[in-house]
Amino acid sequence: MPGRAMGKLGYETDRPDTVVVGLGNPILGDDGVGWRVIAEVERRLLAAGPCAAPSDGSGAGVATACLSLGGLSLMEHLIGYRRAIIVDAVRGPGSPGTIDVLPLEAFAEARSGHVASAHDATLSAALELGRGLGAVLPETVWVVGVKVERLDEFSEALSPAVAGAVPAAAQRVLELLRDRQGLAPATQLADPCRGL
Amino acid sequence: MTRLTIDPITRLEGHGKIEIFLDDDGNVANTYFQIPELRGFERFCVGRPVEEMPLLTNRICGVCPEAHHMAAAKAADAVYGVEPPPAAKKLRELLYSGFYFTDHTTHFYALGGPDFVMGPDAPVAERNILGVIHKVGLEIGGKVIQARQYGHRIVELIGGRKVHPCTSIPGGVTKALKEHERAEIEKMGRWAIEFAQFSLKLFDDIVLGNPAYVDLILGDVYAHRTYSIGLVDANNKINFYDGRVSVVDPDGARLGFYTPAEYTEWISERVEPWTYLKFPYLKKIGWKGFVDGKESGVYTSTPLSRLNASDGMATPLAQEAYERFFSVLGGKPVHQRLATHWARLVELLYAAERIVELATDPEITSPKVHAVPTATPTEGIGVVEAPRGLLTHHYVTDERGLLKKVNLIVGTTNNYAAMSMSIKKAAQAFIKQGVVVTEGILNRVEMAFRPYDPCFGCATHALPGEMPLVLTIRDAKGEVVRQVRNC
């Protein structure tokens, strides 16, 4: 691919070290919450100036993405990053709008070894596969999950409780970025997000 | 009556649920395959400009956005009565071939293949793509990732983005192909042909080389004699992007062809009280229930049905693979559903050859890629062959091009009746009085519908994703007497 340094498995070697991914479907009600949180994170990163994600990939900082993918496809988007933060809608007990911040391994789906809703493989299995093939993949994947209410009806609107949780979820993402959690010491270069 | 519930199914997009009812003797009385339907898409679309549909509909599903993008663009062409220039059609088909290459690769290596490579009774933790790579070799994993990457790259070069392409609009595409992009696609296409041949060889070695698997494929448990449909070109060869629909009966005789605009004369939908999803069937034959045979309007729309409904493949290597397929399996048509996995690889080779064919077409880099729509928009139907079955988009607009009505028949839906029948037959064969229901038995039931590659998801990826597969056996009073959890 012209203009970008590519490794043997296709990853860009000069990327930022962290990627924040919003997962979901923007036209399926509360499933779109991940994308909304990313928009808010981007807004705050831009406002913070030096933290703005260097889209040209200058070697440090934060990249953001909004995706509707899982499994192998999602893994392929994480190649080249040291750390990933995934913002997603979460089903389960608890009131809508509740925010959980957990490592990926904490989700039952990740442990069970099942190939899940991603049509191909669980993200955990895909990451294992990618690492096995020598790809540079995040050592830690954090999940910022927002409990949702409606997922089965087409709409561009979030439920009020879920919409209300967007600023707080964005804040949790920024806290993860600031704390540099999940980054090995060797990769802790100048912190572009200090003071957020 | 005892009730077994498989909920939800592993390796299936979206959430399906299988309920197995046993009679007093412990044999299978009936099975119900239930699929939750996402609601309100039609209402969501009404009032929007029809040219938004190629972008909107590719958000319906995270698995095959390219198929919706194409069907929507073709329906929008029809709404405006505009014919895209030849180069635009070829670019769309080239993109679509790249998508097919990725999708079929993923299905074989991640979904369908593990049952054969690892064996149907392997523990679920091994019966996945990691297990396949562990057994067959790490280099396979590298090739699969490479294949996917090339497919994504072709979609990106033509469609503007790696996922959710955005360049198809009423009248053509927004972007012509540059020579260096064309050369890159040609190179990837040549690699893709080798990869597809390698995959067919792997199938030969692992599946056809194992008498137990050949017996499994040829056995009666996974066979159903139904009608087959498939999109074909003017020579009745398979085409994924364009053409007319060929319909053949269970004996292989052609019932006829229909053009996309004639779909309402050929397809009706049956409503059953126990599921939201409708069951399409052949209107000319009629609905006779969930039964096989020439008198039953049940049909399939899968890689296997496409091979049955066509007269061959339009590219030379795929044609050889097509001939071998029918010669090994005893002639046309083939009704053994597990052979769908093999048929998918024949199509994989066709997709790869088609990439090279289109990338070396002198017209592919033509700057003429759009015809400006000038007619007043009215109504249009667009059809493509999605990997999981024929995809039909039908739009009606007002004179400003604002949508008044939207109807979609998605790939998997075509096969809903056939899948329900396959599940029942496998359940009756494997779950009998006195048999302890194990994970291996459950998997053999699941193997009945996996060839159809059902996909009911619509890009919902809410965590925690799929729950583990749970089997619940209830006694006549509805109380749980046994539960199997394969995690």
Side-chain angles (χ1 to χ4, degrees):
Chain A
M1 289 176 216
R4 285 187 289 175
M6 303 298 285
K8 69 169 178 159
L9 279 169
Y11 56 86
E12 295 156 47
T13 52
D14 54 355
R15 272 187 179 179
D17 59 18
T18 299
V19 63
V20 186
V21 176
L23 277 189
N25 186 339
I27 63 169
L28 207 59
D30 289 344
D31 196 44
V33 66
W35 287 41
R36 303 296 183 85
V37 173
I38 293 303
E40 179 64 16
V41 166
E42 284 173 345
R43 196 184 63 74
R44 295 189 190 192
L45 286 174
L46 281 169
C51 269
S55 56
D56 60 349
S58 55
V62 181
T64 55
C66 289
L67 302 171
S68 306
L69 302 168
L72 290 177
S73 302
L74 178 55
M75 180 275 282
E76 286 161 357
H77 280 268
L78 303 184
I79 289 178
Y81 295 105
R82 297 263 166 214
R83 181 177 60 156
I85 300 168
I86 291 173
V87 188
D88 201 354
V90 175
R91 276 181 290 224
S95 45
T98 309
I99 298 163
D100 291 316
V101 181
L102 294 165
L104 181 67
E105 300 77 46
F107 285 90
E109 165 268 337
R111 279 202 308 270
S112 71
H114 277 279
V115 179
S117 64
H119 173 69
D120 43 29
T122 61
L123 178 58
S124 303
L127 287 170
E128 196 180 326
L129 167 65
R131 289 191 191 106
L133 296 171
V136 173
L137 280 160
E139 290 138 35
T140 312
V141 177
W142 284 96
V143 176
V144 175
V146 182
K147 288 272 163 56
V148 293
E149 205 171 342
R150 285 186 295 119
L151 284 172
D152 56 356
E153 193 161 331
F154 285 95
S155 162
E156 286 172 301
L158 301 178
S159 314
V162 175
V166 169
Q171 187 58 36
R172 298 299 291 272
V173 171
L174 294 171
E175 284 164 11
L176 285 172
L177 290 174
R178 187 190 56 212
D179 294 350
R180 312 290 289 161
Q181 277 190 47
L183 281 186
T187 63
Q188 288 186 4
L189 307 172
D191 180 357
C193 294
R194 200 187 307 276
L196 274 176
Chain B
M1 187 170 282
T2 306
R3 186 172 72 175
L4 310 181
T5 305
I6 302 179
D7 177 26
I9 299 147
T10 51
R11 267 181 286 174
L12 176 62
E13 183 76 6
H15 291 255
K17 181 166 151 184
I18 295 176
E19 302 242 358
I20 301 172
F21 287 85
L22 303 185
D23 60 21
D24 293 338
D25 298 329
N27 295 316
V28 173
N30 215 337
T31 60
Y32 295 95
F33 185 19
Q34 292 176 309
I35 297 158
E37 194 193 25
L38 299 174
R39 297 185 300 272
F41 189 70
E42 183 176 339
R43 194 172 66 240
F44 180 79
C45 294
V46 166
R48 293 173 186 267
V50 67
E51 55 268 28
E52 274 188 18
M53 291 305 273
L55 294 178
L56 260 187
T57 55
N58 75 10
R59 293 273 172 218
I60 294 177
C61 173
V63 173
C64 52
E66 292 86 352
H68 284 292
H69 186 63
M70 288 303 158
K74 289 181 71 181
D77 293 341
V79 162
Y80 278 100
V82 62
E83 182 77 8
K89 285 188 181 178
K90 287 173 184 171
L91 282 171
R92 286 182 184 175
E93 190 182 345
L94 180 52
L95 181 161
Y96 204 50
S97 302
F99 156 65
Y100 248 86
F101 180 71
T102 304
D103 201 271
H104 274 10
T105 296
T106 306
H107 183 279
F108 178 69
Y109 286 95
L111 283 98
D115 285 324
F116 293 107
V117 178
M118 305 309 296
D121 297 317
V124 70
E126 292 169 19
R127 214 172 51 233
N128 56 35
I129 191 169
L130 288 174
V132 172
I133 286 161
H134 186 70
K135 188 161 173 183
V136 186
L138 196 60
E139 71 276 15
I140 302 261
K143 280 181 196 245
V144 172
I145 296 294
Q146 185 73 74
R148 288 173 50 84
Q149 202 180 340
Y150 279 169
H152 295 328
R153 179 67 177 151
I154 292 169
V155 171
E156 183 184 21
L157 284 169
I158 301 166
R161 298 195 288 225
K162 266 185 198 164
V163 283
H164 301 109
C166 56
T167 51
S168 292
I169 56 170
V173 297
T174 55
K175 181 168 132 3
L177 193 67
K178 298 184 180 71
E179 170 52 30
H180 70 86
E181 293 169 332
R182 186 212 62 77
E184 187 183 341
I185 293 174
E186 183 189 342
K187 200 173 152 194
M188 292 188 284
R190 294 198 188 282
W191 184 92
I193 292 174
E194 279 181 33
F195 175 80
Q197 288 177 303
F198 162 83
S199 302
L200 278 160
K201 173 83 172 38
L202 193 70
F203 190 87
D204 253 24
D205 294 347
I206 289 175
V207 182
L208 301 180
N210 183 332
Y213 288 163
V214 174
D215 287 348
L216 193 65
I217 290 175
L218 293 178
D220 182 57
V221 173
Y222 296 110
H224 281 282
R225 293 178 56 79
T226 61
Y227 282 79
S228 300
I229 71 167
L231 202 61
V232 294
D233 64 16
N235 300 315
N236 299 338
K237 303 290 174 68
I238 286 182
N239 191 286
F240 299 141
Y241 172 73
D242 210 4
R244 53 188 183 158
V245 180
S246 162
V247 183
V248 300
D249 74 15
D251 298 328
R254 189 163 275 129
L255 185 69
F257 296 98
Y258 69 88
T259 62
E262 294 166 335
Y263 90 97
T264 52
E265 294 165 35
W266 281 76
I267 305 292
S268 279
E269 291 180 295
R270 168 82 182 180
V271 176
E272 289 282 324
W274 48 271
T275 177
Y276 289 112
L277 207 66
K278 293 172 188 161
F279 296 88
Y281 63 93
L282 292 170
K283 205 172 182 175
K284 289 179 193 294
I285 307 300
W287 176 262
K288 306 283 161 44
F290 295 92
V291 288
D292 285 28
K294 225 167 158 176
E295 307 307 316
S296 167
V298 172
Y299 66 92
T300 55
S301 181
T302 63
L304 177 62
S305 84
R306 294 193 283 258
L307 263 58
N308 282 336
S310 70
D311 291 350
M313 311 301 286
T315 55
L317 295 174
Q319 175 63 24
E320 279 176 31
Y322 174 97
E323 285 165 17
R324 176 147 195 276
F325 176 88
F326 284 113
S327 116
V328 169
L329 295 175
K332 274 171 83 174
V334 166
H335 290 301
Q336 285 83 5
R337 301 295 199 238
L338 293 184
T340 309
H341 296 299
W342 187 3
R344 192 170 280 113
L345 293 179
V346 176
E347 288 194 337
L348 179 73
L349 182 53
Y350 165 67
E353 286 186 285
R354 191 71 182 136
I355 290 169
V356 173
E357 216 170 68
L358 287 163
T360 53
D361 186 306
E363 209 171 27
I364 200 77
T365 47
S366 162
K368 285 183 194 160
V369 294
H370 189 234
V372 178
T374 53
T376 304
T378 52
E379 179 173 0
I381 295 162
V383 165
V384 292
E385 195 70 81
R388 288 154 201 83
L390 200 68
L391 173 63
T392 304
H393 282 214
H394 183 177
Y395 308 149
V396 179
T397 72
D398 66 13
E399 72 289 352
R400 296 169 297 169
L402 300 183
L403 287 157
K404 292 199 303 194
K405 195 173 163 240
V406 171
N407 186 36
L408 310 182
I409 300 181
V410 301
T412 289
T413 311
N414 293 289
N415 301 311
Y416 190 17
M419 275 189 285
S420 301
M421 287 154 56
S422 292
I423 289 164
K424 184 176 178 182
K425 195 168 180 182
Q428 284 175 330
F430 295 116
I431 301 175
K432 287 190 191 292
Q433 183 186 11
V435 171
V436 178
V437 179
T438 62
E439 190 185 297
I441 284 180
L442 282 188
N443 190 49
R444 281 164 192 266
V445 176
E446 290 191 48
M447 281 172 69
F449 63 80
R450 208 168 283 140
Y452 302 94
D453 191 14
C455 169
F456 310 109
C458 298
T460 54
H461 296 284
L463 290 165
E466 295 286 283
M467 301 282 286
L469 181 68
V470 179
L471 166 80
T472 309
I473 303 175
R474 295 172 196 274
D475 63 17
K477 293 173 189 160
E479 284 173 24
V480 176
V481 291
R482 182 173 152 77
Q483 195 162 56
V484 181
R485 232 174 243 276
N486 59 353
C487 62

